[in-house]
Amino acid sequence: MRKKVTIVGAGNVGATAAHWIAAKELADVVLLDVAEGIPQGKGLDLLEAMPIEKRDCQITGTNDYADTANSDIVVITAGIPRKPGMSRDDLLQTNFKIMSDVVAKVIANSPDTIIIVVSNPLDAMAQAAFRQAKFNRERVIGMAGVLDSARFRTFIAEELKVSVENVTAFVLGGHGDTMVPLPRYSTVAGIPITELIPKDRLDAIVQRTRDGGAEIVKHLKTGSAYYAPSAAAVEMVEAILKDKKKILPCAVYLEGEYGIDGYYVGVPCKLGSRGLEQIIEIKLTPEEDAALKKSAESVKELCAVIGV
């Protein structure tokens, strides 16, 4: 019996996540959207690619939550995307209403599922999903740090002209302008990047990482990033389905860790079959700690606006 993953939202991020899952033969996929015909068409198109890719996956496009029943994981990408000049926070009220509706229907059909939230503004949407679902914190996780770290790794590899496989990087904090890239914990083949990249170049790379999503929105003009965000969500899906015990930066509900209590903030997490299996607490300098607390404050402000 293959595992079952539902993706709510058949836009660019959701459909591309379905593509990555099918390409890796991780699970059967249900692609759900409120727009009639869109998930059905994209799902059928992807299903017809399976003989060519030699992958056995069932891909179902639907508008009916009944088809999502008993999903092992539900990835929520639903919401309106960013347009040029919009911040992730501008999306807050609209996407909060969408998230509340989606989560209620998801848990009615899959009460034992693990939820991965991708919708922006990420940390506040994860908090909203957590409150609505009333699950334990292990089963509602936000995707942000995997994407932000991937962007950081990309820019480090480009700067040093090395393989991305050699680069390990960590980005903590909220998914937005206050995210906290950690050069001190970022390495190339085990060598700290602080020994390889001059400070002025490193500062520029950190800023480009913070602006990573906005840079792509500016280029596209009518949409936002989707290849990397969907790949990031699927790395989390794979870690959970395969019980990999993989340490990834994810947005999770903190209960005193890092001195933060009651909010979703990006920190290093171990992901396995139960979802969040451990929060890894690393030592931060006073500057890093202050930056993380500042990031948590911005999440707190958004959560206050929507009452979660």
Side-chain angles (χ1 to χ4, degrees):
M1 188 88 173
R2 285 194 292 266
K3 298 288 190 180
K4 180 175 180 179
V5 176
T6 285
I7 299 169
V8 181
N12 284 338
V13 175
T16 310
H19 183 184
W20 293 119
I21 291 169
K24 290 171 176 274
E25 212 172 30
L26 292 177
D28 289 337
V29 180
V30 177
L31 188 59
L32 183 143
D33 201 283
V34 292
E36 289 185 19
I38 298 293
Q40 290 88 343
K42 290 186 179 182
L44 183 58
D45 190 13
L46 190 50
L47 183 65
E48 290 166 357
M50 293 302 98
I52 301 165
E53 289 294 303
K54 300 175 180 62
R55 295 286 184 265
D56 285 303
C57 285
Q58 184 61 40
I59 299 127
T60 307
T62 185
N63 310 115
D64 187 352
Y65 278 88
D67 293 323
T68 72
N70 303 313
S71 294
D72 295 282
I73 299 176
V74 175
V75 179
I76 303 177
T77 73
I80 57 165
R82 276 205 287 175
K83 295 180 175 64
M86 279 179 81
S87 72
R88 291 181 180 93
D89 303 348
D90 291 334
L91 308 175
L92 184 62
Q93 291 291 359
T94 302
N95 285 355
F96 173 56
K97 289 181 185 127
I98 294 169
M99 182 62 64
S100 302
D101 180 59
V102 166
V103 171
K105 290 170 179 169
V106 160
I107 64 173
N109 289 278
S110 301
D112 300 319
T113 196
I114 293 168
I115 295 173
I116 296 175
V117 177
V118 182
S119 309
N120 275 321
L122 188 281
D123 308 274
M125 289 303 102
Q127 183 111 347
F130 173 66
R131 296 286 189 221
Q132 174 85 30
K134 298 183 171 57
F135 285 177
N136 60 38
R137 66 175 179 167
E138 287 75 18
R139 290 169 54 206
V140 182
I141 310 165
M143 186 294 294
V146 178
L147 169 60
D148 297 328
S149 298
R151 287 173 172 159
F152 197 21
R153 288 165 67 192
T154 301
F155 305 146
I156 292 165
E158 279 188 339
E159 180 73 17
L160 294 172
K161 297 180 174 53
V162 298
S163 167
V164 289
E165 290 183 39
N166 284 140
V167 183
T168 302
F170 255 119
V171 178
L172 306 186
H175 185 52
D177 301 335
T178 60
M179 69 179 71
V180 188
L182 291 180
R184 216 163 46 88
Y185 281 103
S186 302
T187 62
V188 174
I191 306 161
I193 61 167
T194 47
E195 293 182 22
L196 300 171
I197 301 174
K199 186 176 184 308
D200 62 327
R201 286 299 307 141
L202 196 46
D203 288 346
I205 289 168
V206 164
Q207 191 55 46
R208 191 178 177 195
T209 301
R210 287 198 180 105
D211 296 336
E215 183 178 355
I216 290 170
V217 170
K218 193 173 168 188
H219 283 303
L220 292 176
K221 297 180 177 63
T222 57
S224 54
Y226 54 95
Y227 290 117
S230 58
V234 172
E235 184 173 25
M236 293 168 65
V237 167
E238 184 172 24
I240 293 166
L241 290 180
K242 292 184 175 178
D243 193 26
K244 287 173 82 81
K245 316 292 189 195
K246 196 169 190 177
I247 295 173
L248 296 167
C250 304
V252 292
Y253 188 75
L254 298 182
E255 296 174 336
E257 297 88 358
Y258 291 93
I260 298 164
D261 191 20
Y263 291 96
Y264 269 77
V265 178
V267 294
C269 300
K270 185 194 290 180
L271 297 190
S273 61
R274 290 180 287 121
L276 168 65
E277 299 203 345
Q278 185 184 351
I279 292 171
I280 314 291
E281 291 201 68
I282 56 177
K283 286 193 173 127
L284 300 178
T285 65
E287 292 79 16
E288 291 163 347
D289 184 63
L292 187 62
K293 296 283 198 313
K294 181 184 173 189
S295 194
E297 278 303 312
S298 69
V299 174
K300 190 173 175 181
E301 285 169 20
L302 292 183
C303 290
V305 172
I306 54 175
V308 295

